[in-house]
Amino acid sequence: MLQSHIINVLPRHILATLWATQETRISISHLIPSLSNQKDIYPNQHSPSSITSPSFICNELPVRYTHILRLLATLTPDTLQSPIIKNVAHSYLHDICTLLHPSLRYTTSKAFTKVMAGLRQSQSANLIRLRYALLSSPTAVSAILMDNINTIAFGIHLLLEQHISWNEGVKNYPHSICPVEIAYQASIDATKCLADTYGNNQLVPPIAVIEDNISKTAKKKLKPYSDFNYIPSLLHRILYESCVLSLKAHIHHQEDVSRNMNWFQRKLNDRRMSRSISLNVFGGPTSVGFRLETPAPLLNTDLLPDIPRDPLGIPTCGSILHDTSATIINNANNTSSLEWDAFSGWRSSKILASHFGGNLDAVTVDGLGSTIYLALDRDPSLSERYPLRSAFTCSADSPLHHYRRASILNSASDQPLSIQAAAAQLNSFLYAITDNRQSTFNPTPLYHHHSVSLNAAVGHA
């Protein structure tokens, strides 16, 4: 589909309203299913949350897609003219058109789920493209911008994933889980991934999952994890990425030792490295914690913002750049691996952990090893994390078009964005991503004509 056609058919007043609309923040408690009386439809006696209904998704996702466009609008005009940024911007506009179509929310459940699966793949492809565009040569500004985009994008991914899981019969909704079992499965998956990557099981050490040291009688009384409601796949992904980080550090450290140390130094190091990698799980009154310890220091390159890479450090998903055009949107060749690679890496794991009030941090010291801490709050009513309003403000130092510069004065405060300021920002953004700016697009906002009454229009005619 030609991208210029998308701009021409979009209703500008609706887009301006979405541009200024605030998001509806959700929490884990909103995603917990309720008991159902329709046992013929829901045999497991639970019905999906209203947050995953077609009505809510069709109303909320366009707002969040538009907020990602607002973040992209903070880039300089030259950056907005790059083929990757233009492709991503028009892809989001295309998805907004899909969600705003009146017939979508009234279609069959199977057809709606198929559309949501397509939107999930498109979202993953856009995130991969943005990581290549912003993090190939990362700066402090581009890293923060990508973190804010990932924060909104994960909220979108979560809503799509919850809806698709319910319709596919996958138990991925928030419920009371056992963190020890998920930690054990994540350690096995990470060990297998590294063993397959290096082709040698002996290079990859095992990870010992250790539960908090309490007696069985006390465990039955306290039930430290009975009231811990969380999304299983989310916890697994955070622990998986942390385990991969620790295993990579251990393997690289062993290679450096064998290459640079003499016999006596290697013997001393072997005694220190004989301490296995351990993953401790412990429950507290307000949170559930994880502590991953390894005798090797973490790699600094793994902690920095970067493009998607495999455990060997080779860039992945590079083939998607071949399908990126400044004039054509083509997401037909996307694969399911993009949905996994979109949130790969340490920075993405920190965003996933903090989305519902958690915290993921790492401490590494040469000669002593490293420790990764993960704390997840037990309170399911905590609202999801979202970028601050200041993140949507354009930089006054960039050579902006005068309409964008004027809209900064209206959006710099913490007050909600007005329709007039949103219209100015939207028009200037669409103007910046248009191919032939002078001939195909007029950035002058003409939204005041929508308020003219029919009698006045006829009288004027």
Side-chain angles (χ1 to χ4, degrees):
M1 180 178 181
L2 291 175
Q3 297 178 1
S4 58
H5 292 173
I6 300 176
I7 293 181
N8 293 332
V9 302
L10 282 173
R12 301 290 170 77
H13 64 285
I14 295 180
L15 270 182
T17 303
L18 294 174
W19 196 279
T21 302
Q22 295 187 18
E23 73 285 350
T24 302
R25 306 221 183 164
I26 62 176
S27 64
I28 289 181
S29 59
H30 291 137
L31 298 173
I32 297 177
S34 57
L35 293 176
S36 174
N37 296 325
Q38 301 174 336
K39 295 184 179 181
D40 54 338
I41 301 179
Y42 304 108
N44 58 358
Q45 298 182 353
H46 287 87
S47 60
S49 169
S50 60
I51 299 296
T52 61
S53 64
S55 177
F56 181 83
I57 291 178
C58 290
N59 290 332
E60 181 64 19
L61 290 195
V63 175
R64 302 194 179 210
Y65 281 140
T66 312
H67 288 177
I68 294 181
L69 296 180
R70 285 181 62 183
L71 289 174
L72 293 179
T74 62
L75 296 170
T76 62
D78 292 337
T79 306
L80 288 174
Q81 277 291 306
S82 66
I84 295 181
I85 299 297
K86 290 172 65 176
N87 183 283
V88 170
H90 287 89
S91 178
Y92 278 124
L93 292 173
H94 176 269
D95 293 341
I96 292 174
C97 286
T98 301
L99 290 165
L100 292 180
H101 199 281
S103 63
L104 178 61
R105 65 184 67 194
Y106 301 111
T107 188
T108 62
S109 176
K110 184 177 181 180
F112 186 85
T113 303
K114 184 177 180 180
V115 174
M116 295 301 104
L119 291 178
R120 184 176 59 178
Q121 286 195 354
S122 174
Q123 163 81 356
S124 302
N126 289 334
L127 291 179
I128 296 293
R129 292 187 176 104
L130 286 176
R131 288 182 67 173
Y132 272 98
L134 300 176
L135 301 182
S136 294
S137 299
T139 62
V141 176
S142 64
I144 294 175
L145 176 61
M146 193 67 228
D147 286 346
N148 289 328
I149 292 176
N150 275 333
T151 301
I152 301 178
F154 177 68
I156 297 173
H157 178 83
L158 182 64
L159 289 174
L160 295 173
E161 181 69 26
Q162 290 296 305
H163 176 84
I164 295 173
S165 298
W166 262 106
N167 286 270
E168 292 181 350
V170 179
K171 190 178 179 181
N172 192 36
Y173 53 82
H175 60 279
S176 181
I177 62 175
C178 179
V180 179
E181 295 179 359
I182 296 180
Y184 182 74
Q185 186 61 46
S187 64
I188 292 178
D189 294 340
T191 303
K192 184 178 183 303
C193 174
L194 269 294
D196 294 341
T197 301
Y198 287 92
N200 187 354
N201 293 334
Q202 311 235 340
L203 282 175
V204 185
I207 299 178
V209 179
I210 304 172
E211 192 175 2
D212 194 11
N213 188 18
I214 57 177
S215 63
K216 294 183 179 180
T217 305
K219 187 184 298 184
K220 290 181 180 180
K221 293 181 179 180
L222 296 177
K223 296 181 180 180
Y225 312 121
S226 60
D227 59 342
F228 181 57
N229 294 296
Y230 210 72
I231 304 174
S233 62
L234 176 56
L235 177 58
H236 177 275
R237 185 61 188 272
I238 299 171
L239 294 176
Y240 171 85
E241 294 290 344
S242 302
C243 291
V244 168
L245 198 69
S246 298
L247 292 173
K248 281 182 59 179
H250 190 280
I251 295 173
H252 278 260
H253 183 74
Q254 289 293 83
E255 292 177 350
D256 291 340
V257 166
S258 61
R259 185 169 54 248
N260 300 325
M261 291 185 177
N262 55 35
W263 178 87
F264 181 73
Q265 290 174 328
R266 284 198 297 268
K267 286 296 182 182
L268 291 178
N269 181 77
D270 290 342
R271 179 178 298 180
R272 183 174 62 87
M273 296 296 290
S274 62
R275 182 164 51 98
S276 62
I277 302 177
S278 61
L279 176 56
N280 294 77
V281 185
F282 47 91
T286 60
S287 63
V288 173
F290 303 83
R291 184 176 64 251
L292 179 61
E293 296 179 311
T294 176
L298 298 178
L299 301 176
N300 292 330
T301 54
D302 289 340
L303 301 178
L304 298 176
D306 199 4
I307 61 177
R309 298 182 185 272
D310 65 3
L312 291 176
I314 301 174
T316 60
C317 305
S319 60
I320 194 176
L321 299 180
H322 295 287
D323 299 330
T324 303
S325 171
T327 57
I328 302 294
I329 296 177
N330 182 15
N331 291 324
N333 297 327
N334 292 345
T335 60
S336 59
S337 63
L338 294 180
E339 300 174 9
W340 178 267
D341 294 330
F343 294 101
S344 62
W346 171 253
R347 300 276 293 202
S348 297
S349 299
K350 289 178 66 68
I351 292 174
L352 299 185
S354 64
H355 197 74
F356 290 114
N359 183 47
L360 179 65
D361 202 359
V363 178
T364 179
V365 179
D366 290 338
L368 296 179
S370 58
T371 304
I372 296 177
Y373 296 95
L374 171 63
L376 301 176
D377 203 293
R378 288 180 179 271
D379 187 3
S381 63
L382 291 177
S383 298
E384 63 179 323
R385 184 170 170 263
Y386 212 80
L388 300 176
R389 291 178 185 171
S390 58
F392 299 98
T393 304
C394 303
S395 174
D397 298 331
S398 59
L400 302 176
H401 192 272
H402 64 277
Y403 284 107
R404 297 179 69 193
R405 187 179 298 277
S407 65
I408 292 175
L409 301 177
N410 296 325
S411 62
S413 63
D414 291 336
Q415 299 299 324
L417 192 66
S418 64
I419 295 296
Q420 291 77 12
Q425 291 183 14
L426 172 64
N427 276 286
S428 58
F429 173 71
L430 296 179
Y431 175 81
I433 62 175
T434 305
D435 294 328
N436 301 319
R437 302 185 187 181
Q438 300 299 330
S439 58
T440 62
F441 185 72
N442 180 16
T444 305
L446 300 175
Y447 288 92
H448 59 275
H449 289 297
H450 291 284
S451 61
V452 178
S453 64
L454 180 61
N455 294 332
V458 173
H460 178 71

